Amino acid sequence: MSPFRPAPLLMAAATWAMALSSITAGSAALAADWTIQVRDAGGTPVPNAAVAVELKGQPARPVAGVTAQMAQRERQFQPQLLVVQTGTAVNFPNFDTVRHHVYSFSPTKKFELKLYSGTPSEPVVFDKPGVAQLGCNIHDRMSAHIVVVDTPVFGVTDAKGEVKLNLPPGDHRLRLWATRLGNAAPTAQPLTVGAGAASVLKVDLKD
């Protein structure tokens, strides 16, 4: 009896799967920590800007089971800018001795957490991309923004207008947002990442 031999089609499929796995692993290995510097029209660095990169070949998928926090301390939201991936559940703990009434009327996410202390039992799930402006119905000076993006690759620029992101080589899409844009969606522009050593990528925030 002759030994069993896999069908040619199965062998081809297995070979292709191994090759694809090798290519994917190779692309991941080439990823590096790039510094993205955001500047305004005058060339001045923009601090506290939301930066997100949609990677080519990686379709946007909502996350599940991921949580984030937008706290209230000293009658302020902390942080005042929070970036999350679509599908993230955000908790709103109140660490003050007074109650807060948190709300958003933004189309990206309309919700209301009526007068409360402590932490509401249910988080708010941000299920579509965009910008949600937050306020407190009791304390008018309280304001914050949650920027929701369709990618897990994001960050907020520091005082020098810079943020480090781990990026593979390729032609990707960059999304930017800063307070000056109000409730407008993050701007979009192409971002090309080279295959050489990581360095600084300077990008312009378009009002």
Side-chain angles (χ1 to χ4, degrees):
M1 181 181 295
S2 61
F4 171 77
R5 294 180 180 176
L9 185 59
L10 293 177
M11 292 180 65
T15 302
W16 169 249
M18 291 176 63
L20 183 60
S21 176
S22 176
I23 291 172
T24 303
S27 297
L30 290 172
D33 290 332
W34 288 78
T35 297
I36 297 179
Q37 184 186 78
V38 181
R39 307 170 301 180
D40 62 18
T44 303
V46 181
N48 205 39
V51 180
V53 179
E54 298 170 356
L55 302 178
K56 183 179 181 180
Q58 294 191 17
R61 293 190 181 93
V63 296
V66 176
T67 61
Q69 178 175 289
M70 174 64 79
Q72 297 127 63
R73 284 189 177 92
E74 299 178 358
R75 302 186 185 187
Q76 293 289 343
F77 287 109
Q78 294 184 6
Q80 291 192 313
L81 172 59
L82 177 66
V83 187
V84 299
Q85 186 177 358
T86 307
T88 299
V90 179
N91 289 297
F92 290 84
N94 177 5
F95 295 104
D96 286 333
T97 56
V98 297
R99 292 189 294 173
H100 291 300
H101 185 143
V102 178
Y103 69 90
S104 171
F105 296 143
S106 303
T108 292
K109 189 66 181 182
K110 295 182 180 180
F111 71 94
E112 187 174 16
L113 301 174
K114 296 185 178 181
L115 233 74
Y116 71 95
S117 300
T119 302
S121 57
E122 294 294 330
V124 178
V125 178
F126 287 77
D127 48 8
K128 64 180 180 180
V131 178
Q133 182 174 4
L134 311 180
C136 175
N137 218 14
I138 306 301
H139 307 99
D140 291 339
R141 65 188 179 89
M142 290 178 62
S143 180
H145 291 86
I146 296 180
V147 177
V148 189
V149 296
D150 275 335
T151 173
V153 184
F154 57 78
V156 176
T157 58
D158 59 18
K160 297 187 294 184
E162 297 179 350
V163 61
K164 282 191 176 181
L165 296 178
N166 190 257
L167 303 172
D171 295 321
H172 311 302
R173 180 177 295 277
L174 176 73
R175 294 197 180 273
L176 300 174
W177 184 90
T179 307
R180 67 185 70 183
L181 297 179
N183 285 329
T187 63
Q189 59 182 279
L191 178 70
T192 299
V193 177
S199 60
V200 178
L201 295 171
K202 295 183 178 182
V203 298
D204 295 325
L205 176 66
K206 301 173 182 177
D207 295 340

